[in-house]
Amino acid sequence: MNTRLIKTLQQVRELLEQAPVIEPGWESKDECYQWIEEILRHFRYRTLLRPDKGLIKRYLTVATGYSRTQITRLINTYLAEGHLRRKQRTINGFSSQYTKADIRLLAATDRLHNGLNGAAIKRLCERAYEQGDQKYKRLKGISVSHIYNLRKSKTYRNIRTPKDVTRPTNRAIGVRQKPRPEGQPGFIRIDTVHQGDQDRVKRCVPYQRCR
């Protein structure tokens, strides 16, 4: 998906509603940082209202695969310095064979096929590449065990992990009925015993019994 065609806030809103996974099309972190800077500059992030800022932040989170905390840090850096520059690491690390785009593609494939086992997903990736889908070029050679490793990654979980939301529950309020606390802890049963009349006044002495 060519995200450079997205020019208005309404287009961003429609994109997020229709496409839970976005394939921006860059290969390096430098290009990713440059794209984030272009988005913030194009939409004039500093002057946006709070709801629109939240929309842009969500757009950047979905498109880059970064966490919301990291996107917030990058935005603050842009607001303070006016640009984004990636700081190079001084230590040598192992290069990753599979990119964030590959992980997002794996998550999309799992969602489409309801989370099949690793062997079945591997075969689906191979078949997709054999049928001409170049996006599966790297995933076609992935091992079954590494599929499960990628499923544990943060990028994958941001897409596939369901988010629990508070669901309303119906509670009966103001219901007048005889309580039946038998066998339930935390209840006190109060019995009343009639003690007869005195001076034509009804007397009722409470008798308490705990269960």
Side-chain angles (χ1 to χ4, degrees):
M1 180 178 296
N2 189 357
T3 57
R4 301 185 186 277
L5 299 178
I6 307 300
K7 298 297 183 182
T8 65
L9 291 174
Q10 182 60 29
Q11 289 177 330
V12 173
R13 191 173 290 107
E14 293 175 355
L15 176 64
L16 293 177
E17 292 176 353
Q18 298 174 4
V21 180
I22 299 176
E23 201 69 35
W26 55 70
E27 293 296 334
S28 66
K29 287 187 177 181
D30 291 327
E31 293 180 3
C32 179
Y33 275 46
Q34 182 181 356
W35 179 80
I36 294 174
E37 181 179 337
E38 291 175 358
I39 292 297
L40 296 176
R41 182 176 292 109
H42 171 76
F43 287 99
R44 301 176 65 185
Y45 183 86
R46 192 188 302 272
T47 63
L48 292 178
L49 298 177
R50 187 170 183 177
D52 295 333
K53 287 183 177 180
L55 179 66
I56 294 300
K57 186 177 293 187
R58 180 185 167 204
Y59 175 44
L60 296 177
T61 301
V62 173
T64 61
Y66 292 159
S67 66
R68 189 174 180 86
T69 301
Q70 189 170 2
I71 290 296
T72 300
R73 179 180 60 80
L74 293 176
I75 291 176
N76 291 336
T77 301
Y78 169 79
L79 295 178
E81 302 178 5
H83 59 80
L84 286 179
R85 296 292 182 271
R86 187 171 71 91
K87 297 180 180 179
Q88 297 291 339
R89 297 180 61 183
T90 57
I91 60 176
N92 295 324
F94 295 101
S95 59
S96 177
Q97 182 178 357
Y98 301 99
T99 64
K100 290 182 180 292
D102 294 329
I103 299 176
R104 289 194 290 267
L105 181 59
L106 175 63
T109 305
D110 279 346
R111 180 189 290 111
L112 183 62
H113 297 282
N114 296 323
L116 293 175
N117 61 68
I121 292 297
K122 173 180 171 60
R123 181 57 189 141
L124 288 172
C125 293
E126 294 173 350
R127 185 181 303 172
Y129 180 76
E130 291 170 358
Q131 293 178 354
D133 195 338
Q134 295 297 318
K135 292 186 298 184
Y136 289 89
K137 182 177 181 180
R138 284 183 291 271
L139 287 179
K140 70 178 178 61
I142 191 173
S143 65
V144 174
S145 60
H146 200 57
I147 288 178
Y148 291 102
N149 291 336
L150 295 184
R151 284 175 174 175
K152 298 176 183 178
S153 66
K154 191 171 185 179
T155 301
Y156 182 94
R157 287 186 283 108
N158 285 340
I159 299 174
R160 285 282 293 164
T161 302
K163 296 179 174 57
D164 295 330
V165 297
T166 302
R167 295 180 175 85
T169 57
N170 295 325
R171 294 294 184 187
I173 300 177
V175 176
R176 298 175 64 88
Q177 64 182 7
K178 182 179 180 180
R180 300 183 180 277
E182 287 81 2
Q184 301 182 35
F187 284 85
I188 298 178
R189 177 173 176 174
I190 301 177
D191 296 333
T192 58
V193 180
H194 188 259
Q195 299 294 319
D197 299 341
Q198 183 178 10
D199 296 332
R200 298 182 180 180
V201 177
K202 298 292 185 181
R203 300 176 60 197
C204 186
V205 179
Y207 170 74
Q208 296 185 359
R209 179 174 58 185
C210 297
R211 280 178 174 261

